[in-house]
Amino acid sequence: MSILVVENLSISFNQYTESLKQKNVNVISSLNVTLEEGEILAVVGASGSGKSLLAHAILGILPNNANISGTISYDGEILTAARQASLRGTEIALIPQSVNYLDPLMRVGNQVRNSVKVGDAVAAQRKVFERLRLKSGVENMYPFQLSGGMARRTLLSTAIVSGAKVIIADEPTPGLDPVVIKEALENFREFADNGCAVMLITHDIESALTIADKIAVFYAGTTVEIAPVENFNGDGEALRHPYSKALWRALPQNEFIPIPGSQPRPNNLPSGCLFAPRCPIATLECELAQPEMRELRNGRVRCIHAT
Amino acid sequence: MQLEAKNIGFRYGDGPWLFQGVNFTVKPGEIVGLTAPSGRGKTTFCRILAGYEKPLEGSITIEGLPVPTRGFHPVQLIFQHPEKAVNPRWKMEKVLSEGEKPDPELLDLLGIEQEWLTRWPNELSGGELQRFCVARALGSNPHFLIADEMTTMLDAITQAQIWYAVLEIAKKRKMGIIIVSHEEKLMQRLCHRVVELKSF
């Protein structure tokens, strides 16, 4: 069952250009994703493609100058600001991307205990630390005393003990060693197998492949493809969108060959398909209008040429 | 121009020794991977090599001579989080010319666009900022470059773009590179040899 549905989400920011002039910058345009109970959806794409913004929009923690259109519903009901405030941290938990999200003035053990809603908070915190291989002395440390990997495991611990039904993990793995990554990913799989829904925002496609059910590929603020995990295989011929293929081929374990250019900036988006300027198979038609998302071979794609 | 670390030992305050008796050498043009579990002191070791910390035991030499303590450091470190390595109140052009002014060819190779130079750091993505950090470090012609999880936060295409540029420059200048990364596949792709911090 779908627990979280994001439909046609667009986000723009009011920005001051010069003196008192303002302009509206589109950062996410007509984005659709669905989280199913018991499923892990991995969201991959370049930085600046709107992955973290999506997470922040779901939790209702975007800055004040953000304009949001489209709908987000949770458990069949529209997610209003009031509902977001009551659900975050209890039913919907975020594992933030930056390790700066830890309170610099609070011992990390206490920060984790704060998230425990039922039962013995100290015991729960110690159990999760042991599981993530954080030594017993770590609970008394302050964030500045932790290495990057230890701080990340602390953030992960807060979500694990919270008992949430939807977990949104924003880049939980970079900088961790393989043993801890495996442990963290197994935790996500366990969440999902117990009926939770997990959104794993990552650029580590390889890790995502080991646990995710579906993969959504983001580019310049929109979903270009949603594919079952099996499609990420071989030289990517089963993938639908040319950007997904390029991303797959650029991995070090594949060809490690980058396509030139960079993602367009939000204030300078192409009028048609957002990927057209870098696309090897783009035609004149691609520059006319942004293609709609359509069903294709058990997945979805936003490309008129995809077969 | 061989970089040599001999018998390095370090700890913070009265804490336990992070490592002791570490020996490590990098030859010109050599690409060496450095691995260890999280929290074992990889980043601290890199900071020592790049002169940000003084080792409590042992010595760092280049071609047998101690590393100069003033002026441009011949070992340059690129950090994992570029947004923390640039001055948020400087526009990119000023950030870039903190060392020497890099030549346009280098900026081109790294895919840095002219238009980015007039922007503030918070207006650029992590991948764009990291290109600037690489350009800033390479501008003054260092003998060694340390990439401490340099592309960990970046997508695969940007990662490959930056590495292509860095490898090309390293080859041309016979610059040695030390790579710290948890990504085994990336290490296999890039390194001549990989060493583990505890087993030097």
Side-chain angles (χ1 to χ4, degrees):
Chain A
M1 206 192 88
S2 309
I3 185 151
L4 192 94
V5 181
V6 178
E7 274 174 307
N8 240 332
L9 180 74
S10 295
I11 302 175
S12 63
F13 286 114
N14 284 330
Q15 277 182 352
Y16 283 95
T17 46
E18 45 189 303
S19 63
L20 293 172
K21 279 188 196 147
Q22 282 192 28
K23 69 173 174 186
N24 222 355
V25 177
N26 252 329
V27 284
I28 282 189
S29 40
S30 47
L31 185 145
N32 296 293
V33 282
T34 306
L35 282 186
E36 308 279 341
E37 282 179 343
E39 241 185 47
I40 300 179
L41 173 77
V43 173
V44 303
S47 65
S49 64
K51 299 182 308 241
S52 299
L53 285 173
L54 170 65
H56 290 203
I58 292 171
L59 286 144
I61 52 171
L62 288 169
N64 286 332
N65 63 339
N67 309 307
I68 304 163
S69 67
T71 55
I72 304 174
S73 42
Y74 173 75
D75 215 359
E77 273 177 71
I78 299 283
L79 204 49
T80 57
R83 254 185 109 213
Q84 280 172 328
S86 71
L87 293 178
R88 64 179 171 240
T90 57
E91 295 205 10
I92 306 178
L94 172 72
I95 303 174
Q97 172 174 22
S98 169
V99 291
N100 292 342
Y101 280 72
L102 288 167
D103 183 340
L105 299 177
M106 192 175 182
R107 295 183 195 275
V108 296
N110 285 338
Q111 301 195 36
V112 174
R113 286 170 209 159
N114 268 349
S115 299
V116 181
K117 297 294 175 311
V118 280
D120 183 352
V122 178
Q125 172 260 311
R126 294 207 171 133
K127 201 172 136 209
V128 70
F129 271 25
E130 195 186 321
R131 203 163 149 194
L132 295 180
R133 288 163 225 259
L134 287 166
K135 292 196 184 108
S136 59
V138 174
E139 62 182 46
N140 288 323
M141 290 184 178
Y142 289 95
F144 78 92
Q145 294 169 300
L146 306 182
S147 76
M150 287 154 85
R152 253 178 221 291
R153 278 177 276 168
T154 306
L155 288 169
L156 189 60
S157 305
T158 53
I160 292 176
V161 298
S162 71
K165 281 203 215 141
V166 172
I167 296 199
I168 299 173
D170 193 356
E171 300 281 4
T173 55
L176 296 184
D177 61 76
V179 180
V180 181
I181 290 184
K182 194 161 167 273
E183 183 75 31
L185 294 176
E186 276 166 7
N187 268 304
F188 291 137
R189 193 63 254 178
E190 215 180 293
F191 279 138
D193 292 344
N194 289 332
C196 293
V198 180
M199 182 191 287
L200 177 66
I201 297 173
T202 183
H203 58 252
D204 182 359
I205 299 177
E206 206 198 356
S207 291
L209 291 182
T210 61
I211 56 152
D213 300 291
K214 279 189 257 166
I215 298 203
V217 182
F218 278 30
Y219 185 76
T222 195
T223 19
V224 294
E225 175 165 358
I226 297 174
V229 81
E230 319 72 85
N231 290 164
F232 287 81
N233 206 320
D235 58 8
E237 66 276 358
L239 293 170
R240 295 156 192 79
H241 198 280
Y243 175 70
S244 318
K245 293 184 188 195
L247 193 62
W248 176 245
R249 284 204 282 260
L251 288 174
Q253 59 268 40
N254 298 334
E255 295 159 44
F256 202 51
I257 296 171
I259 53 164
S262 53
Q263 190 173 246
R265 194 165 292 293
N267 57 10
N268 199 9
L269 291 180
S271 54
C273 171
L274 299 176
F275 187 61
R278 295 171 76 188
C279 184
I281 58 167
T283 56
L284 264 178
E285 219 182 333
C286 299
E287 287 159 29
L288 296 178
Q290 158 114 267
E292 292 293 318
M293 202 75 177
R294 62 184 169 105
E295 305 282 332
L296 180 68
R297 290 189 280 115
N298 199 24
R300 308 186 74 194
V301 67
R302 197 189 287 280
C303 172
I304 52 174
H305 297 298
T307 49
Chain B
M1 281 290 182
Q2 175 168 296
L3 174 67
E4 193 167 12
K6 254 192 212 154
N7 273 319
I8 303 295
F10 191 84
R11 61 177 171 183
Y12 287 103
D14 305 327
W17 284 96
L18 215 43
F19 41 78
Q20 259 183 305
V22 172
N23 293 303
F24 182 66
T25 50
V26 190
K27 294 188 181 72
E30 196 181 24
I31 303 175
V32 186
L34 182 62
T35 65
S38 137
R40 206 51 79 71
K42 292 186 299 291
T43 296
T44 304
F45 185 67
C46 291
R47 290 176 61 85
I48 291 173
L49 289 178
Y52 289 94
E53 305 275 357
K54 275 210 165 81
L56 295 175
E57 294 177 348
S59 62
I60 313 277
T61 54
I62 292 178
E63 214 50 22
L65 299 168
V67 184
T69 52
R70 308 189 64 169
F72 178 75
H73 202 285
V75 183
Q76 285 289 311
L77 178 56
I78 312 272
F79 296 88
Q80 179 179 350
H81 301 284
E83 61 279 11
K84 294 193 203 169
V86 298
N87 188 335
R89 289 163 186 270
W90 284 358
K91 289 204 171 167
M92 293 320 298
E93 193 157 24
K94 193 166 175 196
V95 169
L96 196 57
S97 39
E98 218 178 329
E100 261 166 65
K101 250 205 160 52
D103 62 283
E105 203 181 318
L106 177 66
L107 300 188
D108 226 35
L109 189 59
L110 281 164
I112 293 175
E113 287 170 27
Q114 277 301 315
E115 184 243 346
W116 300 353
L117 295 174
T118 52
R119 305 203 162 254
W120 299 102
N122 67 4
E123 296 175 318
L124 297 181
S125 73
E128 288 158 2
L129 281 178
Q130 195 63 293
R131 293 168 204 258
F132 277 96
C133 291
V134 174
R136 178 174 63 177
L138 292 178
S140 307
N141 224 339
H143 299 310
F144 295 93
L145 188 77
I146 308 177
D148 184 3
E149 304 278 6
M150 178 173 79
T151 53
T152 304
M153 303 305 292
L154 309 179
D155 67 280
I157 295 176
T158 312
Q159 164 170 279
Q161 284 176 342
I162 292 183
W163 273 115
Y164 265 90
V166 170
L167 293 182
E168 195 177 319
I169 293 161
K171 208 169 171 189
K172 219 188 286 171
R173 299 184 184 172
K174 283 205 177 316
M175 177 178 74
I177 304 179
I178 298 149
I179 302 177
V180 175
S181 172
H182 285 105
E183 281 177 62
E184 255 172 67
K185 304 275 163 53
L186 181 68
M187 296 280 239
Q188 283 169 13
R189 174 68 75 169
L190 298 170
C191 299
H192 299 142
R193 62 185 168 100
V194 177
V195 286
E196 211 183 319
L197 185 58
K198 62 176 181 194
S199 65
F200 298 162

